[in-house]
Amino acid sequence: YQRRVHGDPNPSRSMIGSIIFLNSRGDIVLSRAFRDNVNIRSLGEAFRTQVIATKLADRTPVKTLGSVSFLHMRHENLFIVATSRANVNAALVFAFLSSMLKIFKAYFGVVNEESVKENFVLIQELIDEIIDFGFPQNTEVDVLKLYITSSGLKTELLNKPKDTAEISMKLTGKINWRPAGIKYRKNEVFIDVVEDVNLLMSQQGTILHRDVSGKVVMKSFLSGMPECKFGLNDKAMLEKERHTSKRYAEIDLEDVTFHQCVRLGKFDSDRTISFIPPDGEFILMKYRTQDNVNPPFRIMSPTVRELGKTRFEIDFKIKAEFSSRLFGTNVIVKVPMPKSTANTKITIPTGKAKYEAEQGSIVWRIRRFPGGSEFRFAAEVALIASTSHSSQQWARPPISLAFQVPMLAASGLHVRFLKVHEPKLSYQAVKWVRYISKAGQYECRI
């Protein structure tokens, strides 16, 4: 699982009593009990009558009936339900159910009522491995596929002592996410810092809300079992190091979550991000920040002028607030229009713009937007004359933006260093870092 910086100190709260798969009618398709005091039939009936029949399934993912808590999620035409009589950690249960779904998809693709029935025996074998006595265990697909195939258990592997020892090490060892013996001719690491920028701006240009939700995606092609150490310009990390250099601005990271390979004890003690990476691509960490977010684009002076009952003008300027050495790509500006729009006359200096009735907006597309540049949008809009006196006034929804800006981190996050050390092979790894800022919910009121 991806783990928060501070985990749950009480493991008994992760106890699951049973897992039940029900179809949309409430019939049990597959079930597994992990405790002696579990009556699957009565639990399934209670969930069908008290949750599915009363339409509660669409309103709340957790329902307590008597002494039993039902934690459920819907997928295709199935309800996947975990039950517990303990004060269970709900976040862990839902993370486990999501991981279980990913495992099933990796084995037989689509997960629905028909595929569950067709793969009944395989699913029971997988459940045997991923949960034990109600406690989640190994959910790594790569490890599971070493000895469980889509046709069932690989019994020929288990007859070989060497392979059995290797599987046991991966299941019970500290590093079950990375097999031993990986070799590459060229050792490389690719790091992508991907940030979604959320912004709400008033008509006067005042920023009402802004934040960044980011993730660090790592793609490793490294031989052996390398030890990696990763450094950012996180404020707490720099303070811990007593860093005196002012090369990087300090930023406050919030809601930090890590991949399971990161040593959380080390991070808690000295804010060091150290880990042995999985092979290939994975999300090393996720974070959020609200301080010192620099919006890549700014919409200035949006103005609507009425020219009569059936005509109005709208104009504004959009400016790229980043360096002239960078550029935005695939910039899409959606300018909302009333439902009664008949035709539009649009004036723009670059890109293409047209009224798209299905989106209820004028959509302005700019393939390349140089940093520091400023473009003006103007449109004259004709409306269909309304014969009804009760027609609602146009609510003026906000202008929205979509964009990507390569090599820009809107939060100011920077990768300060990545150290790779493999004690047995002693190679020099080639490291690549890329930054991408994208629009999340990016809006300006008019």
Side-chain angles (χ1 to χ4, degrees):
Y1 306 110
Q2 286 187 345
R3 303 176 293 173
R4 286 202 174 272
V5 173
H6 299 287
D8 190 341
N10 187 358
S12 66
R13 294 177 61 191
S14 61
M15 184 175 69
I16 297 171
S18 66
I19 292 176
I20 309 172
F21 289 74
L22 302 98
N23 62 20
S24 54
R25 299 184 303 276
D27 302 325
I28 296 175
V29 179
L30 181 146
S31 64
R32 192 60 175 272
F34 307 106
R35 300 281 160 173
D36 295 334
N37 61 349
V38 172
N39 186 324
I40 293 292
R41 184 173 293 181
S42 63
L43 290 175
E45 182 66 17
F47 187 81
R48 183 180 67 81
T49 57
Q50 300 295 319
V51 179
I52 298 177
T54 57
K55 309 293 184 185
L56 279 175
D58 297 326
R59 280 181 274 169
T60 173
V62 181
K63 178 67 176 175
T64 301
L65 301 173
S67 60
V68 181
S69 296
F70 293 81
L71 300 94
H72 60 88
M73 58 192 298
R74 194 165 189 169
H75 181 78
E76 299 282 346
N77 56 354
L78 289 172
F79 289 99
I80 304 169
V81 186
T83 69
S84 179
R85 294 182 183 274
N87 182 19
V88 71
N89 183 331
L92 185 144
V93 173
F94 285 117
F96 172 75
L97 294 179
S98 298
S99 297
M100 183 174 68
L101 263 179
K102 288 178 183 176
I103 292 169
F104 294 166
K105 287 177 182 177
Y107 271 88
F108 48 86
V110 178
V111 181
N112 54 31
E113 183 180 356
E114 292 72 28
S115 65
V116 168
K117 289 178 179 177
E118 289 172 5
N119 297 277
F120 186 90
V121 175
L122 174 61
I123 291 173
Q124 293 285 9
E125 288 182 355
L126 288 169
I127 290 175
D128 272 343
E129 299 301 330
I130 64 179
I131 186 167
D132 185 25
F133 202 57
F135 296 97
Q137 303 294 316
N138 176 45
T139 57
E140 291 292 322
V141 176
D142 293 339
V143 176
L144 291 169
K145 283 190 173 181
L146 286 173
Y147 57 99
I148 296 180
T149 66
S150 55
S151 57
L153 198 65
K154 272 190 180 176
T155 52
E156 68 275 10
L157 269 183
L158 300 182
N159 293 329
K160 298 177 182 178
K162 182 180 177 182
D163 293 333
T164 305
E166 184 180 346
I167 290 170
S168 299
M169 184 191 71
K170 288 176 182 175
L171 280 172
T172 60
K174 293 181 180 179
I175 312 168
N176 61 6
W177 56 85
R178 183 182 180 91
I182 296 174
K183 290 184 180 179
Y184 287 102
R185 182 173 297 177
K186 187 176 182 181
N187 294 283
E188 293 182 297
V189 181
F190 299 86
I191 298 172
D192 284 344
V193 178
V194 183
E195 297 191 335
D196 289 334
V197 188
N198 303 304
L199 177 81
L200 179 60
M201 190 181 296
S202 72
Q203 183 183 1
Q204 291 75 31
T206 305
I207 294 175
L208 305 175
H209 172 78
R210 60 181 168 186
D211 71 71
V212 164
S213 298
K215 60 184 178 181
V216 178
V217 182
M218 190 168 177
K219 194 180 289 186
S220 71
F221 303 102
L222 300 171
S223 304
M225 300 293 279
E227 290 274 353
C228 296
K229 191 174 179 183
F230 187 67
L232 301 169
N233 58 325
D234 173 31
K235 184 178 180 181
M237 192 180 296
L238 293 177
E239 286 176 354
K240 209 78 175 178
E241 293 178 4
R242 294 181 174 86
H243 212 71
T244 55
S245 171
K246 295 297 180 182
R247 182 180 174 187
Y248 300 106
E250 298 177 353
I251 65 166
D252 248 333
L253 296 181
E254 304 169 9
D255 299 336
V256 181
T257 60
F258 291 110
H259 187 274
Q260 64 171 342
C261 67
V262 176
R263 299 183 179 93
L264 294 186
K266 192 79 172 164
F267 182 81
D268 285 338
S269 63
D270 59 11
R271 305 296 287 188
T272 299
I273 303 173
S274 59
F275 56 96
I276 296 176
D279 189 43
E281 185 173 332
F282 66 100
I283 298 175
L284 176 64
M285 64 180 286
K286 293 182 179 180
Y287 61 90
R288 192 174 65 86
T289 182
Q290 301 182 70
D291 297 335
N292 304 317
V293 175
N294 298 312
F297 291 93
R298 184 180 291 271
I299 293 176
M300 299 182 293
S301 308
T303 307
V304 177
R305 290 183 295 274
E306 294 187 2
L307 306 176
K309 291 185 177 180
T310 59
R311 286 174 62 236
F312 70 88
E313 286 181 344
I314 181 169
D315 68 77
F316 59 85
K317 293 178 181 177
I318 178 170
K319 184 178 181 182
E321 297 282 326
F322 46 87
S323 167
S324 58
R325 292 176 294 179
L326 306 177
F327 57 87
T329 60
N330 301 321
V331 178
I332 300 173
V333 185
K334 291 185 180 179
V335 186
M337 291 287 117
K339 291 182 179 179
S340 57
T341 299
N343 57 65
T344 59
K345 184 180 178 182
I346 305 165
T347 305
I348 53 172
T350 187
K352 296 179 180 179
K354 66 176 182 177
Y355 173 64
E356 297 184 7
E358 64 275 10
Q359 299 200 43
S361 306
I362 294 175
V363 181
W364 181 15
R365 291 180 169 86
I366 306 169
R367 290 184 63 186
R368 186 182 174 98
F369 201 125
S373 56
E374 180 179 302
F375 299 131
R376 182 174 179 268
F377 173 95
E380 187 176 317
V381 183
L383 307 176
I384 300 170
S386 175
T387 56
S388 172
H389 294 289
S390 60
S391 60
Q392 291 186 347
Q393 189 177 4
W394 182 38
R396 295 191 184 183
I399 298 168
S400 63
L401 267 76
F403 57 81
Q404 283 193 8
V405 185
M407 299 314 297
L408 175 71
S411 67
L413 184 79
H414 284 281
V415 177
R416 293 192 293 121
F417 62 83
L418 173 64
K419 298 175 182 177
V420 179
H421 174 61
E422 216 295 337
K424 293 181 180 178
L425 302 177
S426 300
Y427 53 76
Q428 290 292 322
V430 181
K431 303 147 195 171
W432 306 88
V433 180
R434 179 174 63 170
Y435 301 91
I436 303 173
S437 287
K438 304 189 297 181
Q441 191 170 359
Y442 206 95
E443 297 177 338
C444 177
R445 294 175 178 171
I446 57 177

